[in-house]
Amino acid sequence: ALLMLVHGALAIDSGRLADVPPELTDVRSDQALPSAVRAGAGALQAQALALSGQAGQAMKLLDAVTEDVRTVSGPGILDTVYVRVFQTLIAAGEYARAAELTNDLMFGRSPRAFCCNSGEVAYGMGHALSGRADRALGSLSCAMSQLQLEDSGDLLPMAQSLAAYAHALLDNTD
């Protein structure tokens, strides 16, 4: 099951959606597996659906994944599942839900899933794309300041683009 998760993640992350293993469906439905593993399989399936333009199906599957996640108490794969859920919401155009998720995770349920600069950028992305420019700029400004000093994930260009978009939303073209 874990090998299927890795295979699916590699296929999605390299842009080869056709290579996402169909066996993820079996992993998702196998009640003998831990709920975190089932949720991971479901999150990957939902992400593949959203990236292939099937947002409606992705959201239905994501609702089921969310139910599985609520029964998981330990960290580990759960943090990765949350990141996949966020990416799925963005790919499906569910920006307000993505912003809500990052808010919940950064300030509550799983602070490791969205921490440090990547968390600030994800939080800013969710809010900028959902039209809440003022909320986005606070976290993006903080992230950009830190990313100018250390940016091992190459997030600064994304943070700058999101900040420019947020400023445009506020009609601040200067």
Side-chain angles (χ1 to χ4, degrees), residues 117-149:
N117 297 329
S118 61
E120 300 272 351
V121 174
Y123 183 83
M125 177 185 288
H127 285 290
L129 294 175
S130 63
R132 296 184 208 132
D134 52 340
R135 284 184 138 181
L137 284 172
S139 65
L140 291 170
S141 296
C142 185
M144 288 186 301
S145 296
Q146 295 170 26
L147 290 169
Q148 288 174 350
L149 300 174

Side-chain angles (χ1 to χ4, degrees), residues 26-111:
D26 298 334
V27 172
R28 170 89 183 101
S29 62
D30 188 345
Q31 294 299 313
L33 293 171
S35 56
V37 174
R38 291 193 318 270
L44 287 168
Q45 286 179 295
Q47 188 177 12
L49 288 167
L51 290 169
S52 63
Q54 300 172 59
Q57 287 179 302
M59 291 303 98
K60 285 180 187 174
L61 184 53
L62 212 53
D63 289 339
V65 168
T66 303
E67 289 302 315
D68 280 346
V69 166
R70 291 183 184 159
T71 65
V72 177
S73 59
I77 197 170
L78 187 56
D79 295 332
T80 304
V81 170
Y82 281 132
V83 171
R84 294 288 175 183
V85 168
F86 174 79
Q87 292 171 334
T88 301
L89 291 169
I90 293 295
E94 295 286 335
Y95 306 132
R97 283 181 66 180
E100 183 180 313
L101 176 69
T102 57
N103 189 51
D104 287 351
L105 294 176
M106 285 180 68
F107 305 111
R109 289 186 279 169
S110 183

Side-chain angles (χ1 to χ4, degrees), residues 11-35:
I12 289 170
D13 293 346
S14 63
R16 297 184 336 257
L17 297 178
D19 292 343
V20 173
E23 294 87 0
L24 285 175
T25 303
D26 298 334
V27 172
R28 170 89 183 101
S29 62
D30 188 345
Q31 294 299 313
L33 293 171
S35 56

